[in-house]
Amino acid sequence: MIDISKETILEMYKRMNEARAFEEKVSYFFARGMVHGTTHLSIGQEASSVGACMALNNDDLITSTHRGHSQVIGKGIDLNKMMAELLGKYTGYCKGKGGSMHIADVDAGNLGANGVVGGGHGIAVGAALTQQMKKTGKVVLCFFGDGASNEGSFHEALNLASVWKLPVIFYCENNLYGMSVPQNKAMNIKNIADRAKSYGIPGHIIDGNNAVEVYNRTKEIAKYVREGNGPVLIESKTYRWLGHSKSDAQIYRSKEEVEEWKSKCPIKQLRNYIIENKISTEEELDKIENNARESIEKAVEFANNSPNPPIETITEDVYA
Ligand SMILES: Cc1ncc(C[n+]2csc(CCOP(=O)(O)OP(=O)(O)O)c2C)c(N)n1
Ligand SMILES: [Mg+2]
């Protein structure tokens, strides 16, 4: 078992709170027509996404998904530029033209979110091949959902990565649904991690609502992958509290099921762990939570004070 430092665990707590506060704010703005297109919130999945990113080295790489806010906040994104992007401002990551599903920050190791389900698999394999050929020692972590594990790209990517022994962690955030389709209607297996066997690589199941477990297990697995042993599949069992996107009446699941998962709140669980193990105090944790909310307010202020994209730039950055 990896010994997680106080500094790391508090940083993880901070980023999880930032992710929660960021999405609550986005939800509020969306309801007021200020966020265009759609957006997919990951409230309830913060431990799964942030814990995995925290277990990587700073210069490791990730590919993110359509439900990527917690993933990129976990990787340590600039919250100002991210909020500006969601509010369509010129100071955003894509100059306000991409929005929620196009957050990328290659310098920070975030190779990009993706509106195409399963779109990250091939990018992660390509990036991992680059790391192997250039001997950078870096690992790529590829986020995707349970639904995406039924895409052809998943199977092709695991196969090729296995044959070439690439330094990539395939990280499936199994939140039990792909849009309105429950896992048991889309596949005949209970554990997606079992699919690793088909490609001759290890498959691990982790409790995606337990940040410390996510961190420790991913850290161990990243070490194994970095040592040149080839790819690994991780299945992180978790749950999204809210609808699939902003237009979802959620008639496919019961209120009881949602409530049961809310009682396993990843942020509360981490808070309890920190207090029970006397790592920090209630006061210090309250302060971290308040600071996280303040950072989001500052990001909103930054975005509100930022210009819209100038009309003459409308055709720029659209075609490569
Ligand atoms: C190739 C492709 N097919 C379908 C869609 C429409 N779509 C968007 S999200 C989604 C569900 C994805 O489910 P999952 O991979 O479990 O991720 P989750 O939304 O649960 O995080 C679908 C089908 C898409 N964006 N891309
Ligand atoms: Mg899903």
Side-chain angles (χ1 to χ4, degrees), residues 5-261:
S5 71
K6 174 177 176 177
E7 193 191 357
T8 301
I9 207 163
L10 293 186
E11 181 64 27
M12 188 152 71
Y13 189 70
K14 178 185 129 202
R15 291 188 194 183
M16 285 167 64
N17 274 286
E18 284 173 350
R20 177 72 58 96
F22 181 89
E23 292 205 318
E24 284 173 356
K25 196 52 97 178
V26 168
S27 183
Y28 172 89
F29 286 145
F30 193 92
R32 279 151 191 80
M34 291 162 71
V35 175
H36 300 287
T38 191
T39 185
H40 306 82
L41 303 180
S42 58
I43 292 180
Q45 300 186 191
E46 294 90 348
S48 170
S49 304
V50 176
C53 287
M54 290 287 303
L56 300 175
N57 293 345
N58 271 343
D59 61 354
D60 284 336
L61 306 164
I62 63 163
T63 60
S64 174
T65 69
H66 58 286
R67 200 176 301 288
H69 303 151
S70 297
Q71 298 162 358
V72 297
I73 291 174
K75 193 75 173 75
I77 204 161
D78 182 326
L79 295 169
N80 289 354
K81 284 166 90 172
M82 190 158 150
M83 187 60 85
E85 186 56 39
L86 268 95
L87 293 175
K89 296 304 182 98
Y90 201 47
T91 50
Y93 269 106
C94 304
K95 300 179 191 167
K97 295 180 194 171
S100 171
M101 278 182 279
H102 296 90
I103 304 287
D105 184 352
V106 177
D107 292 338
N110 166 19
L111 301 180
N114 212 311
V116 178
V117 170
H121 293 131
I123 296 169
V125 168
L129 178 61
T130 304
Q131 308 318 312
Q132 187 187 60
M133 291 180 79
K134 289 190 168 174
K135 299 189 172 54
T136 63
K138 295 182 195 173
V139 161
V140 182
L141 186 139
C142 171
F143 282 107
F144 58 99
D146 45 291
S149 77
N150 294 324
E151 291 282 353
S153 64
F154 167 84
H155 301 277
E156 294 172 36
L158 267 72
N159 190 54
L160 197 55
S162 166
V163 171
W164 287 349
K165 279 197 153 196
L166 298 180
V168 52
I169 299 168
F170 293 101
Y171 192 89
C172 179
E173 297 195 278
N174 183 357
N175 59 12
L176 303 179
Y177 294 89
M179 297 184 89
S180 58
V181 182
Q183 186 194 337
N184 62 10
K185 281 197 182 155
M187 60 185 86
N188 251 337
I189 52 170
K190 197 159 165 264
N191 298 317
I192 293 168
D194 289 349
R195 292 188 161 170
K197 285 198 196 88
S198 311
Y199 306 104
I201 64 171
H204 298 277
I205 297 171
I206 63 175
D207 175 355
N209 279 33
N210 179 335
V212 174
E213 177 176 330
V214 171
Y215 176 87
N216 283 333
R217 299 285 304 280
T218 309
K219 189 107 189 155
E220 263 173 33
I221 290 164
K223 181 169 180 282
Y224 168 92
V225 171
R226 208 182 300 282
E227 284 167 353
N229 295 304
V232 171
L233 172 62
I234 298 178
E235 178 185 5
S236 165
K237 305 255 192 200
T238 184
Y239 198 78
R240 64 167 156 76
W241 290 8
L242 304 175
H244 164 73
S245 64
K246 293 305 293 183
S247 52
D248 180 358
Q250 298 187 65
I251 50 175
Y252 51 85
R253 62 183 190 180
S254 68
K255 287 204 172 67
E256 290 73 27
E257 182 185 289
V258 178
E259 286 312 312
E260 195 195 321
W261 278 92

